[in-house]
Amino acid sequence: MAQFEIKRLVPMELFGYDISFTNSALFMVLALVLASGFLIFAMNGRSLVPSRMQSIAESLYEFVAGIVRENLGEEGMRYFPWVFSIFIFILAVNMLGMIPGSFTVTSHIIVTFALALMVWVTVTLIGFARHGVGYLKLFVPDGVPIWLMPLIVPIEIVSYLIRPISLAVRLFANMMAGHTMLKVFASFAVSLPVVAKAFPVLFTAAFTGLEFLVSFLQAFIFTVLTCIYLNDAVNMHH
């Protein structure tokens, strides 16, 4: 499981706390730089007839914009830059993790939980900023009989509080499980005799393609759920 090991690259300490620059931090910075560089370069000197890079950048833009419009409507486009940044960052770190010998940032629960908690806190702040105390009505679904409220309200509150946990675990578990499977079958391909290598090699090749798809899908799912939670804060739909 060495592929999941966090290593200190630049040891640092501040007020007794370990703030070392690690391989995890390195790949997050790389993802940020590469994603930003790609988008800036692709859209620099954009033309009516787009180049391949411009087409990819515009496709990603329209893809996320479509998710935002579908879940939030046109009014929700004010939150598009934030949602787009989340999607691109997760997609970038997931894809970087597919490079042999690299580090998969999202295979660590602390990273995915930090992302999920950031989404949860931001959505909650937006909800209270737009609706004030009225945002608490989110925990009182319309049409529920009064006598059921003591049961329904706690369920709604618990459901709301575990959102960052479920959001974090979903991304972390899928990425860690996928990379673990790749490592297991790749080790079989190395350790087995030549006559028995065919199956693990073919499976590893096929599973690698699937893992690329999963990396994209997990960025997509995280983005969709972010928009759904944001819709609750903006429109308070049940």
Side-chain angles (χ1 to χ4, degrees):
M1 304 300 285
Q3 62 174 321
F4 302 121
E5 183 182 353
I6 293 181
K7 301 175 183 177
R8 293 182 179 88
L9 302 180
V10 182
M12 291 184 287
E13 191 173 302
L14 181 65
F15 303 120
Y17 291 97
D18 186 356
I19 58 167
S20 300
F21 188 78
T22 64
N23 53 344
S24 179
L26 173 63
F27 276 90
M28 282 190 274
V29 172
L30 279 175
L32 180 62
V33 170
L34 291 175
S36 300
F38 168 76
L39 292 172
I40 292 171
F41 180 77
M43 299 308 294
N44 186 33
R46 56 188 179 276
S47 60
L48 190 61
V49 179
S51 63
R52 290 182 180 179
M53 292 185 66
Q54 183 181 334
S55 295
I56 294 172
E58 290 179 351
S59 296
L60 290 171
Y61 178 98
E62 287 300 327
F63 179 72
V64 179
I67 297 173
V68 174
R69 291 192 188 98
E70 183 178 345
N71 288 279
L72 294 163
E74 286 297 331
E75 184 184 359
M77 287 301 290
R78 69 174 66 183
Y79 305 106
F80 170 78
W82 179 59
V83 176
F84 184 74
S85 298
I86 292 172
F87 173 78
I88 289 296
F89 177 75
I90 295 176
L91 181 63
V93 293
N94 285 355
M95 291 302 176
L96 273 178
M98 292 301 300
I99 301 173
S102 65
F103 183 83
T104 308
V105 174
T106 45
S107 66
H108 282 264
I109 187 67
I110 187 62
V111 174
T112 60
F113 183 73
L115 285 169
L117 187 62
M118 179 271 294
V119 169
W120 185 83
V121 170
T122 303
V123 165
T124 301
L125 291 176
I126 291 173
F128 279 108
R130 289 181 64 91
H131 307 287
V133 181
Y135 185 56
L136 295 176
K137 292 180 181 178
L138 184 68
F139 306 120
V140 185
D142 294 332
V144 176
I146 297 296
W147 60 274
L148 270 180
M149 287 300 179
L151 176 63
I152 297 299
V153 171
I155 291 175
E156 290 288 331
I157 292 174
V158 171
S159 175
Y160 189 85
L161 292 177
I162 66 172
R163 281 180 175 181
I165 299 174
S166 62
L167 197 59
V169 170
R170 183 181 290 105
L171 177 57
F172 147 76
N174 277 280
M175 298 310 298
M176 187 184 72
H179 283 270
T180 301
M181 287 288 290
L182 280 175
K183 182 69 173 181
V184 169
F185 278 88
S187 64
F188 286 162
V190 173
S191 60
L192 289 176
V194 176
V195 293
K197 289 182 183 292
F199 175 73
V201 168
L202 290 174
F203 184 87
T204 301
F207 199 81
T208 298
L210 178 62
E211 192 63 13
F212 272 106
L213 178 61
V214 169
S215 297
F216 176 82
L217 285 177
Q218 288 307 308
F220 165 69
I221 292 170
F222 196 100
T223 304
V224 169
L225 290 174
T226 297
C227 288
I228 291 173
Y229 298 157
L230 190 56
N231 183 53
D232 286 341
V234 174
N235 300 314
M236 293 188 64
H237 288 168
H238 295 280

